[in-house]
Amino acid sequence: MKKKGLLAVLSLTLVLSGCNSPTQYTPGTADTPPAASQPQSMDRVTRAAGIVDAVAGTNIKDKVEKVDQILNTEGKVDQALEAISNTVGKGARYPHEGRLSATVISAVDGDTLKVKLNKKTETVRMLLVDTPESQPSKKAPVPQPLGPESSAFTHKLLDGKKIELEFDGDHERDTYNRLLAYVYLDGKSVQEELVKKGFARVAFTFPDAKLLPSLKKLEAEAKKKRIGIFSHDGYVTRTGFNVAAWN
């Protein structure tokens, strides 16, 4: 009996000490494995690291929803916006008085440029004008009529050139984080040149826009002369370009 009792006590001691089973991790104890929380932390870092790719090329509403989904912020818009601010960035702020000097790296499209500004690479979307799409996109699955021509014109005119940028009021960036600016080459407005030659329509206007009167006047003259995009009735619309009217 004494022998059986001793074996029972020894068995109970082994169970309580964990010697007969894998060590159990108890939060807050000295036995806590140093790397116990690493997989969870790394998973969150991995997910957060994908934010920039996930939200690239989307508008602010889509960014909020996507970041909210990735970080599991339970629909808290403020948290999602903070995540965007911390990972994607709102872009540099520039002086709005006068014009800023920049160098064109390359045209992206007829109305969009990549430039070097204050040692930063920025995308510039020209204010108040819209050219046909030169490359397939969600908006246009195939290049639109005169899209490649408008892009080629901007490439030839501006690639590698020194230009000046001018902001208008508080309109500095769009929802794609592109700078919104008037573009000048040798003191002349590139927007006016695009409209005058029939490569762009006047679009995305706002009250008291500085160049709106002159651009509207040039657009009316181009329409009257049926130049470029204005040569086919119905091609230029209030919201863009109607490819069916070109054929």
Side-chain angles (χ1 to χ4, degrees):
M1 288 294 294
K2 289 183 179 180
K3 186 176 182 180
K4 288 183 179 179
L6 181 61
L7 289 173
V9 171
L10 180 60
S11 177
L12 180 60
T13 303
L14 289 172
V15 170
L16 292 176
S17 66
C19 292
N20 66 338
S21 62
T23 301
Q24 297 297 313
Y25 156 56
T26 304
T29 68
D31 295 328
T32 302
S37 62
Q38 186 175 0
Q40 182 179 359
S41 299
M42 288 304 295
D43 179 59
R44 189 166 181 79
V45 169
T46 300
R47 287 185 291 138
I51 291 175
V52 174
D53 290 336
V55 302
T58 59
N59 60 42
I60 192 66
K61 180 177 180 293
D62 292 338
K63 285 181 180 182
V64 171
E65 293 175 352
K66 193 65 179 178
V67 174
D68 187 59
Q69 176 187 343
I70 293 172
L71 295 182
N72 293 322
T73 52
E74 301 177 355
K76 296 179 181 178
V77 175
D78 289 343
Q79 290 185 29
L81 283 170
E82 183 179 357
I84 293 170
S85 176
N86 292 337
T87 58
V88 180
K90 297 178 180 178
R93 290 284 299 178
Y94 295 101
H96 282 218
E97 298 78 23
R99 299 177 183 178
L100 301 177
S101 297
T103 301
V104 178
I105 299 171
S106 175
V108 177
D109 211 341
D111 52 27
T112 308
L113 311 169
K114 284 282 188 187
V115 307
K116 188 67 74 174
L117 176 62
N118 289 358
K119 298 182 180 181
K120 286 176 59 69
T121 298
E122 296 274 13
T123 301
V124 176
R125 178 64 169 79
M126 298 187 204
L127 273 172
L128 304 186
V129 296
D130 182 34
T131 62
E133 297 294 320
S134 65
Q135 303 172 26
S137 64
K138 289 182 180 180
K139 187 167 65 174
V142 296
Q144 296 173 321
L146 290 186
E149 290 82 354
S150 66
S151 180
F153 175 80
T154 303
H155 271 289
K156 184 177 180 179
L157 183 68
L158 297 180
D159 282 6
K161 301 289 181 62
K162 299 284 187 181
I163 60 170
E164 291 179 310
L165 303 176
E166 183 180 30
F167 300 117
D168 197 342
D170 294 328
H171 304 274
E172 181 171 314
R173 292 183 185 270
D174 63 11
T175 56
Y176 300 100
N177 206 35
R178 300 178 299 188
L179 291 175
L180 299 171
Y182 299 120
V183 179
Y184 297 90
L185 176 66
D186 298 329
K188 296 181 180 179
S189 166
V190 175
Q191 275 98 322
E192 290 182 351
E193 198 68 15
L194 284 167
V195 173
K196 182 167 63 176
K197 293 187 179 298
F199 286 124
R201 70 186 183 99
V202 178
F204 312 115
T205 62
F206 51 90
D208 302 320
K210 181 178 179 180
L211 290 188
L212 186 58
S214 63
L215 288 172
K216 292 298 288 183
K217 181 180 179 181
L218 289 170
E219 184 181 52
E221 293 173 357
K223 285 180 179 178
K224 185 176 181 180
K225 296 177 181 178
R226 300 179 67 84
I227 298 173
I229 60 175
F230 305 106
S231 62
H232 287 61
D233 292 335
Y235 179 52
V236 178
T237 70
R238 291 178 63 253
T239 57
F241 301 93
N242 178 17
V243 176
W246 189 271
N247 302 321

